[in-house]
Amino acid sequence: MKIAVFRVDGERRVGVVSGDGNTVTALDFPRELAAAGALTAVEWLAEGRALPPAVGPAWRWDQVAHEAPLPAQRRNLFCVGRNYHAHAKELRDSVFKDNDANPESWPIVFTKVPQTVVGPWADVRLPAGISEKIDYEAELAVVIGKGGCNISRAEAMGHVAAYTVVNDVTARDVQMRHQQWDLGKSFDTFCPMGPWLVTADELDGRKTRVRCWVNGELRQDGNTEDLIFDIPTLIETCSRGITLYPGDVIATGTPAGVGQGLTPPRFLKHGDVVRVEIDGIGRIENRFV
């Protein structure tokens, strides 16, 4: 099932997307529940409740206003750094030079604030005067369904509700200046998300392809089978002593090919368009302004 959040006549709605991705039909959620985006749908599915029936017309997807599927985050997003071997290698002399030399010891986990989340086609604002080294990071994001604390690796996949696409936009100079990464990752609009959620019964996020284009040029092309720390391990790690809740997002890391890793580095500038696509989910495309 594809669950999307969109607006018609200015009103936020939660709906189910057709198999071909061409139309979306609203679910009969009260307005106050639709305000949380797809969060209520995630919570109901985690509880084993049936979603409300679809009501009204099937709108063409290209004729509605698209929003992030989880636009009202309960708290910061969990994010993972250095989770593909080739990416660890390309940034070993810059971003990762002060990290543990053994990338397979523990995952690097940081967060992005909720205000980073924007829709799948929204503009991303360059923080002029604050950073001149803005980078892209194409990532698969895991959406937690059933919550829990100290979730074991063996049980972790049972806590996955869905998957979506994110771009973990990063200000590299700010990221490295502060060593802790939250500030460099958390500028407003720095987490485009979408185009919808794909439920875990339709996609195995452990085996899918992640790609990124900048102005039509393919920059990143990886597969989640190559993650250093797989999805069950990430869920186990993030839930150690920390309760995960329905709707929590874990971004799983980015493949090689980021701007910082090129020779010379190539950072984003005004007018650049970044497209991130993941097999089995779809694509997001955002202009940097």
Side-chain angles (χ1 to χ4, degrees):
M1 183 189 310
K2 298 182 180 73
I3 304 173
V5 176
F6 61 103
R7 286 186 183 267
V8 174
D9 298 328
E11 182 177 344
R12 179 177 286 168
R13 305 177 187 229
V14 180
V16 175
V17 180
S18 61
D20 59 12
N22 290 332
T23 62
V24 60
T25 306
L27 296 170
D28 192 18
F29 279 118
R31 181 176 299 178
E32 62 272 17
L33 295 182
L39 176 60
T40 301
V42 169
E43 291 175 331
W44 284 26
L45 291 172
E47 295 168 2
R49 298 173 60 180
L51 297 181
V55 293
W59 285 284
R60 280 178 45 186
W61 180 248
D62 60 2
Q63 291 185 330
V64 299
H66 308 130
E67 294 197 332
L70 294 167
Q73 292 289 310
R74 173 184 282 122
R75 59 180 179 181
N76 287 17
L77 293 76
F78 295 87
C79 303
V80 180
R82 197 185 60 184
N83 205 22
Y84 288 81
H85 287 287
H87 179 57
K89 182 177 179 180
E90 72 177 348
L91 298 188
R92 65 186 174 188
D93 296 325
S94 55
V95 175
F96 302 136
K97 66 180 180 180
D98 296 322
N99 298 122
D100 186 341
N102 178 8
E104 298 188 25
S105 54
W106 291 94
I108 296 170
V109 181
F110 58 94
T111 67
K112 295 173 82 81
V113 301
Q115 291 74 20
T116 58
V117 175
V118 292
W121 318 110
D123 287 346
V124 176
R125 299 199 303 272
L126 297 167
I130 302 172
S131 172
E132 302 301 325
K133 296 183 177 181
I134 305 304
D135 210 346
Y136 51 87
E137 293 192 3
E139 305 196 15
L140 173 74
V142 175
V143 180
I144 297 297
K146 178 185 174 184
C149 184
N150 297 322
I151 299 167
S152 71
R153 187 180 182 283
E155 297 177 342
M157 294 306 294
H159 291 258
V160 176
Y163 302 94
T164 192
V165 180
V166 299
N167 185 349
D168 174 22
V169 183
T170 307
R172 293 295 184 195
D173 43 2
V174 178
Q175 176 189 24
M176 290 184 282
R177 178 188 308 145
H178 293 280
Q179 297 185 44
Q180 299 288 337
W181 295 358
D182 290 28
L183 291 180
K185 297 281 191 173
S186 290
F187 289 100
D188 293 351
T189 74
F190 267 30
C191 190
M193 177 189 290
W196 40 59
L197 303 183
V198 174
T199 52
D201 60 338
E202 291 194 0
L203 174 69
D204 185 351
R206 295 169 293 184
K207 299 179 181 180
T208 192
R209 188 181 186 187
V210 179
R211 287 175 290 172
C212 176
W213 292 259
V214 178
N215 300 327
E217 176 191 1
L218 181 64
R219 295 277 187 89
Q220 295 181 278
D221 189 352
N223 195 295
T224 57
E225 289 184 287
D226 297 325
L227 291 174
I228 297 172
F229 301 98
D230 63 12
I231 291 170
T233 300
L234 297 180
I235 294 172
E236 180 182 63
T237 299
C238 292
S239 70
R240 288 188 180 205
I242 299 173
T243 300
L244 300 183
Y245 294 100
D248 277 346
V249 173
I250 302 174
T252 57
T254 198
V258 299
Q260 174 75 41
L262 302 177
T263 305
R266 297 166 67 183
F267 298 109
L268 298 172
K269 60 186 183 300
H270 173 75
D272 285 345
V273 176
V274 178
R275 183 170 98 243
V276 180
E277 185 169 337
I278 298 181
D279 289 0
I281 303 178
R283 66 184 177 92
I284 62 176
E285 188 169 303
N286 305 90
R287 185 170 180 263
F288 285 68
V289 299

